[in-house]
């Protein structure tokens, strides 16, 4: 049997039991220590030395620790790795403890509830998501969840998402399966709350997969925490309302339950009422364009494809986001990311945003003034959240105060662009004034060391401070008086931490020391004394100092609570700031990059004159970017088959059309001479043989499953980009599949989606002969001296040949190989093959009886 635990370790065990599956950091003097299995986990995760408590004992207890001063960084690293961390503090002064110091868990940090801006990407939200779905009852199809049916027959799931660091709070109901997967990939949450019974019986694939890939952590929660009555009570308490009908959640029990689960979790982990969180904003993914992850990635909306960033954080250069995010505030940056993740599909929703951007484009000088005013606004959303969660220090509040003080200038500049929005911007003068009047210019980070509060704020504080300041004068006077009284010219009054105030007399003068001097300390050259007067003074000063620190802390927390009480007003102002900054950024991009305002219609035509690829045109190409037109409709130009040699510009053309449509539907201006965009409900973009090694599936399998998704979910209003479909398999398989897919997109009356199809299968150009809505396009090239020259111009017609060998020459493949390739090509084109599909080499047959091994590749295709 293990030896009994020490009282301290027993206390640790009790705390650990409370912490559940969180790692427990146990405050012990200057360290946070971990014990037992947590110590092993933490030592490994943070690369710390694992030691042991009771080393000599038979069963030493594994232990590791981090210094309290540096704990935040370590905690952030643990959370970044997907762990949940409970911080257990000493809540009693060790000097006052009779035995063991009292300890309590004061906060729990989890990946979904990170609130310290230092550990967050300023330009992305950090979402915690709750999913309210029921576990399958025994005897039911295990893959069907038992919620009410959403449109389309799939079970509905209640989804709520909260960024505790900003207060952003949204809720919706979506269909399980693909829609849920899309929504999760847009939100990119770090943690997902699910009912425990469901976690035990098997999570839906789309939820389980992200967890397996380390994209989010799953937190199973008791089923009761998703119950509607509890959720309503929580929302009522948070918002101070009675009934939640006014919130637009009526008739949405699953979304309501998800909101309740989120709030319960935040309260549990933060241990304070999150007053910065407002009413959840119900939204219908229906009004927005569903952009699945594959499309977002292939269009490089949020991150470049090579960046390895799967729709996560960061402003990956080379992405559409990096290009368009010219915002100057963190709120604006997050808003632009949201706009790009949720393009709009309804003209009525888009028109006001586009008008706002257009107004900002038109008003150049006002825009410049607006942006420079906005530049003085820090991340007020996150600063306010910190205040509401009682984590803000005086520097945070001072920064908040300075930001709020810039709001009148923001409103003033904005009134020339968007009078209504400007009028909606609460300048928060009262809060700004209180902050400015209370806090000193540049307060310290510590809360217990004073120096935060201005003079004139609190009478007693002022008095105590002048007492402290008078001190210097008092000591000088006392010193002079004592020198005179004793006749010791070298007598000094000093102070040290251990003995306090003293009078120092050097040895030769000791005989002059009067009777009322009391010895305190003996040094080699001198003795130190105190007098009753000096002692009384010391007491007064020291207690004044302590009282000053207490008072300052008290006044600071009062101020912080006052800010928290205004959190919703500040959040409303931050919302306007985000909108203005994001719109001004789009306008700035339009002006800098020469974009035009697209005409948005509810029709089905997409007509772009001289369109450009927004990202590639800005890259150093070594050649001028050549603009191209496009016309897509549902009558004569439904499917554009684009052929042309490798490197000619096919992929660029396809993507630029998709990006221009996407930009138009987020309210931005577009890189073109003119554009008329019939709004689309979805954009699908697929690249053949895209490497998706991270998922461990074969590229061809990925390609086909993505194609299947398009065939299943595209509508006549969708825009489909298929780039080299079928490249992932053998030539004839690929060609047949590509052919059949194109035919189906054309013929199926339910589809009819506008499609751009780039392919190196020239055979596909034959489709246009029989299919009335198929149009052939090609990228013009010319040849000079056997070298290919790319003209980058899209013209009607089919590529006459593939120019593969010329492109290989451009790429530096050695001449003998090219010559041989030319030879093989001639044979293939002349259909000179043996029975087994090997090319014949009549002229040079003697030397080449055994075909080179790579030729078997051609042979196999031919034979199959
Ligand atoms: P393909 O898909 O036909 O192989 P890409 O679209 O990948 O060709 O284009 C290859 C390269 O050609 C691009 O990276 C870019 O540098 C250049 N390019 C493509 N389109 C244009 C254009 N319209 N103007 C100038 N350069 C272009
Ligand atoms: Mg290509």
């Amino acid at each position: 049997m293990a030896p009994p635990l020490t009282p301290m370790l027993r206390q640790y065990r009790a705390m650990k039991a409370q912490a559940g599956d969180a790692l427990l950091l146990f405050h012990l003097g200057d360290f946070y220590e971990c014990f037992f299995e947590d110590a092993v986990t933490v030592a490994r995760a943070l690369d710390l030395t694992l030691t042991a408590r009771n080393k000599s004992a038979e069963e030493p207890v594994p232990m590791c620790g981090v210094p309290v001063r540096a704990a935040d960084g370590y905690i952030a690293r643990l959370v970044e790795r997907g762990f949940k961390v409970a911080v257990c503090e000493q809540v009693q002064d060790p000097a006052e403890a009779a035995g063991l110091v009292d300890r309590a868990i004061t906060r729990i940090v989890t990946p979904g509830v990170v609130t310290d801006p230092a550990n967050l990407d300023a330009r992305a939200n950090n979402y915690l998501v709750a999913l309210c779905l029921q576990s399958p009852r025994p005897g039911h199809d295990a893959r069907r969840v038992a919620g009410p049916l959403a449109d389309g027959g799939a079970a509905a799931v209640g989804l709520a998402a909260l960024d505790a660091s900003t207060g952003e709070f949204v809720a919706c109901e979506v269909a399980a399966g693909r829609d849920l997967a899309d929504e999760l990939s847009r939100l990119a949450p770090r943690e997902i709350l699910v009912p425990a019974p469901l976690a035990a019986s098997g999570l839906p694939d789309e939820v389980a997969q992200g967890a397996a890939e380390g994209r989010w952590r799953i937190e199973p929660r008791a089923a009761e925490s998703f119950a509607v009555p509890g959720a309503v009570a929580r929302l009522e308490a948070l918002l101070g309302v009675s009934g939640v009908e006014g919130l637009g959640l009526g008739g949405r029990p699953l979304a309501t339950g998800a909101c309740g689960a989120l709030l319960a979790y935040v309260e549990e982990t933060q241990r304070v009422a999150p007053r910065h969180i407002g009413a959840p904003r119900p939204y219908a993914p229906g009004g927005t364009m569903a952009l699945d992850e594959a499309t977002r990635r292939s269009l490089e909306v949020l991150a470049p494809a090579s960046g390895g960033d799967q729709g996560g954080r960061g402003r990956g250069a080379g992405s559409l986001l990096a290009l368009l995010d010219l915002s100057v505030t963190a709120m604006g940056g997050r808003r632009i990311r949201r706009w790009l993740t949720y393009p709009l599909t309804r003209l009525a929703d888009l028109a006001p945003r586009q008008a706002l951007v257009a107004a900002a484009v038109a008003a150049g000088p006002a825009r410049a003034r607006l942006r420079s005013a906005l530049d003085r606004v820090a991340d007020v959303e996150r600063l306010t959240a910190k205040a509401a969660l009682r984590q803000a220090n005086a520097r945070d509040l001072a920064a908040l105060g300075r930001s709020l003080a810039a709001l009148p200038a923001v409103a003033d500049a904005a009134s020339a662009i968007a009078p209504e929005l400007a009028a909606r911007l609460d300048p928060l003068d009262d809060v700004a004034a209180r902050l400015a009047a209370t806090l000193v210019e540049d307060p310290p980070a510590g809360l217990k060391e004073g120096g935060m509060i201005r003079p004139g704020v609190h009478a007693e504080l002022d008095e105590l401070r002048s007492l402290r300041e008078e001190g210097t004068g008092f000591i000088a006077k006392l010193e002079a008086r004592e020198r005179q009284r004793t006749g010791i010219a070298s007598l000094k009054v000093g102070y040290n931490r251990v003995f306090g105030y003293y009078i120092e007399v050097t040895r030769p003068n000791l005989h002059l020391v009067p009777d009322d001097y009391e010895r305190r300390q003996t040094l080699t050259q001198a003795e130190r004394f105190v007098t009753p007067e000096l002692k009384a003074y010391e007491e007064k000063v020291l207690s004044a100092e302590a009282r000053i620190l207490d008072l300052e802390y008290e006044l600071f927390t009062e101020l912080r609570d006052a800010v928290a009480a205004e959190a919703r007003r500040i959040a409303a102002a931050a919302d306007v700031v985000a909108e203005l900054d994001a719109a001004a950024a789009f306008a700035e991009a339009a002006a800098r990059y020469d974009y035009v305002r697209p005409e948005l219609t509810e029709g089905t035509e997409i007509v772009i004159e001289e369109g450009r690829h927004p990202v590639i045109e800005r890259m150093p190409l070594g050649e001028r970017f050549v603009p191209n037109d496009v016309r897509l409709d549902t009558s004569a130009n439904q499917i554009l088959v684009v052929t042309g040699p490798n490197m000619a510009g096919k992929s660029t053309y396809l993507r630029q059309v998709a990006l221009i449509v996407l930009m138009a539907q987020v309210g931005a201006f577009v890189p073109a001479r003119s554009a008329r965009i019939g709004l689309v409900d979805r954009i699908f973009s697929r690249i053949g043989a895209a490497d998706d090694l991270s998922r461990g599936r074969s590229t061809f399998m990925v390609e086909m499953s993505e194609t299947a998704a398009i065939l299943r979910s595209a509508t006549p209003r969708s825009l489909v980009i298929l780039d080299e479909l079928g490249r992932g398999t053998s030539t004839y398989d690929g060609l047949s599949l590509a052919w059949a897919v194109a035919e189906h997109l054309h013929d199926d009356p339910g589809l009819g989606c506008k499609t751009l199809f780039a392919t190196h299968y020239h055979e596909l150009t034959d489709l246009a002969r029989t299919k009335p809505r198929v149009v052939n396009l090609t990228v013009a090239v010319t040849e000079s001296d056997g070298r290919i020259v790319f003209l980058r111009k899209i013209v009607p017609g089919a590529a006459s040949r593939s120019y593969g060998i010329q492109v290989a020459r451009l790429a530096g493949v050695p001449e003998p190989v090219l010559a041989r390739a030319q030879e093989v090509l001639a044979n293939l084109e002349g259909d000179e093959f043996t029975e087994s599909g090997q090319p014949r080499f009549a002229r040079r047959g003697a030397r080449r009886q055994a075909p080179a091994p790579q030729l078997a590749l051609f042979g196999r295709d031919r034979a199959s």
Side-chain angles (χ1 to χ4, degrees), residues 616 621 623-628 644-653 656 723-724 779 792-793:
I616 293 186
L621 286 182
E623 62 182 283
R624 197 177 65 85
F625 190 91
V626 178
N628 275 301
N646 272 319
M647 286 303 287
K650 301 183 296 297
S651 301
T652 306
Y653 179 65
Q656 90 187 24
D723 194 353
E724 306 278 10
V779 199
R792 311 293 184 204
K793 203 73 197 163

Side-chain angles (χ1 to χ4, degrees), residues 326-329 363-378 402-403 405-414 417 577 580-581 584-585 588 592:
L326 299 178
S327 64
V328 291
T329 69
R367 183 175 78 239
R369 273 197 297 132
L370 173 64
R371 284 164 58 81
S372 77
L374 285 168
D375 208 16
R376 307 211 305 273
V377 180
R402 283 192 298 273
S403 301
L407 292 184
V410 171
D412 181 54
I417 295 170
V577 164
L580 286 170
D581 191 18
E588 191 68 20
R592 274 191 212 173

Side-chain angles (χ1 to χ4, degrees), residues 573-615:
D575 182 63
V576 177
V577 164
E579 198 82 1
L580 286 170
D581 191 18
F586 275 4
E588 191 68 20
R592 274 191 212 173
Y593 309 143
D594 191 21
Y595 293 167
V596 297
R597 179 179 188 165
E599 180 190 340
L600 306 176
T601 80
E602 283 178 329
T604 53
E605 286 177 1
I606 294 175
V607 183
I608 299 169
E609 269 185 305
E610 298 191 10
R612 285 124 47 204
H613 190 298
V615 176

Side-chain angles (χ1 to χ4, degrees), residues 621-666:
L621 286 182
E623 62 182 283
R624 197 177 65 85
F625 190 91
V626 178
N628 275 301
D629 302 341
V630 76
R631 175 182 186 92
L632 280 159
D633 54 44
T634 46
S635 50
N637 304 280
Q638 186 208 333
I639 297 181
L640 309 184
V641 175
V642 185
T643 47
N646 272 319
M647 286 303 287
K650 301 183 296 297
S651 301
T652 306
Y653 179 65
L654 262 59
R655 281 179 184 65
Q656 90 187 24
V657 173
L659 285 170
I660 287 172
V661 171
L662 180 74
M663 289 168 78
Q665 294 196 218
V666 299

